[in-house]
């Protein structure tokens, strides 16, 4: 049974930083993606990283967020810098393993003074 668990969310002031973690247990992922969903908005793809290390970013966060991975821990990180109030959302991790996709439960990120 694959489990995907996010952590690291919280309340931060504008301009601050947070690092989110996403751990996938049970199997090695092919691609890990971070999504976010703000209240009243559709879920959007933020960043992705493949098992080979290829990364992609949404234009809205490029240059501020960095996705990385620790193969030994089968864990992916999302380092978020220069956070803005519009980054406030629930952040979800999705692990693609073979032909299947597994979602985490989400972690709340609130950017507010």
């Amino acid at each position: 049974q694959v489990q995907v668990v996010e952590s690291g969310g919280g309340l931060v002031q504008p301009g601050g930083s947070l690092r989110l973690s996403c751990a996938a247990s049970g199997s090695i992922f092919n691609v890990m993606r971070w999504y976010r969903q703000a209240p009243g908005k559709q879920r959007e793809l933020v960043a992705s990283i493949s098992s080979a290390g290829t990364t992609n970013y949404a234009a809205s966060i490029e240059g501020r967020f960095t996705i990385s991975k620790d193969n030994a821990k089968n864990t992916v990180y999302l380092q978020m810098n220069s956070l803005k109030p519009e980054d406030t959302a629930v952040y979800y991790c999705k692990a693609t393993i073979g032909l299947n996709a597994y979602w985490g439960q989400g972690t709340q990120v609130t950017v507010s003074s």
Side-chain angles (χ1 to χ4, degrees), residues 6-88:
E6 303 102 333
S7 61
L11 173 64
V12 63
Q13 291 187 340
S17 298
L18 280 176
R19 190 177 81 155
L20 306 183
S21 299
C22 174
S25 65
S27 230
I28 304 297
F29 68 86
N30 301 116
V31 182
M32 199 82 90
R33 296 177 175 91
W34 282 101
Y35 291 78
R36 68 184 181 186
Q37 187 166 20
K41 294 188 176 181
Q42 289 190 329
R43 192 171 295 189
E44 63 170 343
L45 177 63
V46 174
S48 66
I49 188 166
S50 71
S51 57
T54 301
T55 59
N56 284 287
Y57 298 94
S60 59
I61 58 87
E62 196 153 13
R64 299 188 296 121
F65 292 8
T66 302
I67 191 169
S68 61
K69 63 186 177 72
D70 183 331
N71 289 334
K73 297 180 179 179
N74 210 34
T75 296
V76 169
Y77 305 97
L78 187 67
Q79 178 66 44
M80 305 186 296
N81 298 328
S82 302
L83 282 162
K84 304 175 181 180
E86 51 263 44
D87 295 317
T88 295

Side-chain angles (χ1 to χ4, degrees), residues 90-106:
V90 178
Y91 283 71
Y92 297 91
C93 183
K94 184 176 81 171
T96 300
I97 300 172
L99 298 178
N100 299 309
Y102 303 88
W103 287 91
Q105 80 289 350

